[in-house]
Amino acid sequence: MDTNKKYSTLSLAMSMLLVAALTVLSAMPTEVRWSEADVLLAEGMPFLCLSAAIVIFIGLWKHSRNATWTDIAIFAWMLYYIGRVWLGAEYACSTDVLKTACMFILYFVSRCLFSQGRMPQIGMLSAFLLLGIYEAGSGIWQMFFHTSRHYRYMMTGSFQNPGPYSACLMTTAVICLAWYRDESNKKIQRYILLLLLLPCVLLPATMSRAAIVSGGIIAIWLYRQKLRSMSLAAKALVTVGVVTAFILLYLFKQGSADGRLLTWAASLSSWRHNVWSGAGIGGFHHACAEGIAQMYGENPKLVWFESGGVTDYAFNDLLKILVEQGIVGALLCIATMVTGMQNLYRQSRPMFYGALSLLLFSMFSYPFELFTYRTSVVMLAAWSASKGSKSPLKINKYTASVFLLSLAAFSWFVRNETKRRSKADMNMRFISGIYHQTFIKDYYELLPMELDNTRFLFDFGKTLREAERYNDSNAILRQGTSISNDPMFYILMGNNYRDMQQNSYAETAYLKAFAIMPNRIYPLYQLMMMYHDNGETAKAKDAAQRIMRMKPKIRSRATDEMKEKAKAIVGSI
């Protein structure tokens, strides 16, 4: 075996080990902030960079090689993202920045390895299908033994709810469907059909409209030729069926759909104030809250307000990029997607349609905020670029090695910060929900690493309030309003101002809380009680009448009691 072949074999082996390791990490439980998979990947990234640099320098890349347009687009996006964080820094966003940096590094390391190993299509297909089969099996186990990760749902796989879990099932089904269509071997087709049936049977149980719609669109496109050959009556029947299905899916969870429409409209309303560079990394939730307040001021009777709620996600990954990074970031993202999908289309049609279904799904959900789907698209982009369209930019082995060594140094910083902040998150859980002044010192020690953690800031603000340190509490709660659209931050601020006898500031805080969530009675209730206690009868009566007219998003014993109190105040005036 000659030297070049030995190094190619070594690179292929490293590529396969990397894909296998990422598949295993992707099957680990997904968390909102730091999961074990995030930490393990960050731990191994410096050593992966060094290994790739050594392999390339000692024997690979004998001649200069062309970068692809995908490489250039991702590199430009990385520079813009880092620059936007460095120059802007409007919002605390350390967790998101570290996770995103890890994905950029992973792409370039994988790209160098895949360019030599030439991993066959079956290798990538196997990894994705094995992950899908594992998740499907996990869902079945949860369904029978009641071990779901969410008490309200019977199966969630390794995720925290059925939404992102459904994307894994849907993507697996689409890959199988596209592979089944293109496969000529009847025996292999039978095995593919068996793989296809498993996620298809489970998918309806997730009740995910985004997954059903995305998968359905791809299925219709794949078999469009057969649909075209149908009779006119059959085409009309199919069209009516599809339209009816869309309407029923909307009506099935109309409140959820309207809530997402409100989130999108409000975010775009805020984005218009800073079109080119966006609100800033980590600023989506603040932009959403400000947008809702602005929309409420302009049209308080908008029906979408009835469905609004506190959201942790944008439910449209491209929209989040547009709002936070502006047109520049969105265009770089689209350029990356277009060039990457073109490469993938040439490399593997099943993987192309699987990735396309996931992109469609991301228009209604948040898959790319989760480890599993981030690593999946990075792997696909790096793998498909190994035979992608070339650009005029040439890279020799010295440049590639220096670049990887630079990434290794950067990834060492990412590793250390990830370990430090994930440990802080773990420590925060021990004191979360305990609002006692004994833990104030612990909160202050953790604060520099938890500035982007809404739960931490809320608990800290409430703890300071319980200790009657109202100004300190408001300082922490104000930080929370910059990364969350939860009106409770403003309500607690209002309570603090009220206890300090600063009623005008309290009134402003309560009204702001109501403006960003106009279907909540509680802000108006607090305002009404403040007016009532201060003897401002006219204002108290006005607030009480507004409460009596309101239809809360979720009726409960608490909302009934607030309405009864409002009725009593109106009757006593």
Side-chain angles (χ1 to χ4, degrees), residues 86-101:
W86 185 268
L87 296 176
E90 298 96 336
Y91 305 96
C93 55
S94 299
T95 302
D96 186 55
V97 169
L98 289 171
K99 289 182 178 181
T100 303

Side-chain angles (χ1 to χ4, degrees), residues 154 173 220 270 307 320 328 367 375 412 416 493 523 528 532:
M154 61 182 177
I220 291 172
S270 289
S307 304
K320 182 182 179 182
V328 177
T375 54
W412 188 261
N416 291 339
M493 289 172 65
M528 176 188 73
H532 180 264

Side-chain angles (χ1 to χ4, degrees), residues 129 132 139 304 319 413 431 455 475 491 543:
L129 292 179
W304 288 346
L319 176 65
F413 166 77
I431 59 176
R455 176 64 184 274
I491 291 174

Side-chain angles (χ1 to χ4, degrees), residues 19 75 105 108 120 122 132 134 149 199 213 253 321 337 347 425 452 569 572:
V19 172
F75 185 70
I105 297 168
F108 289 109
I122 190 64
Y134 169 79
R149 297 192 67 204
V213 169
K253 292 182 180 179
I321 292 171
M337 288 193 298
Q347 290 269 49
D425 254 30
D452 62 344
I569 287 177
S572 66

Side-chain angles (χ1 to χ4, degrees), residues 367-402:
F368 299 131
E369 295 198 40
L370 305 177
F371 178 89
T372 298
Y373 301 111
R374 283 189 169 196
T375 54
S376 296
V377 296
V378 167
M379 284 291 98
L380 286 178
W383 175 71
S384 62
S386 63
K387 292 181 181 178
S389 57
K390 308 298 181 184
S391 74
L393 181 62
K394 291 185 179 295
I395 308 293
N396 58 43
K397 72 175 184 179
Y398 300 102
T399 303
S401 298
V402 170

Side-chain angles (χ1 to χ4, degrees), residues 211-228:
I212 293 171
V213 169
S214 302
I217 290 173
I218 300 299
I220 291 172
W221 177 259
L222 286 172
Y223 289 92
R224 62 192 182 280
Q225 298 297 340
K226 289 188 177 182
L227 292 174
R228 287 174 183 171

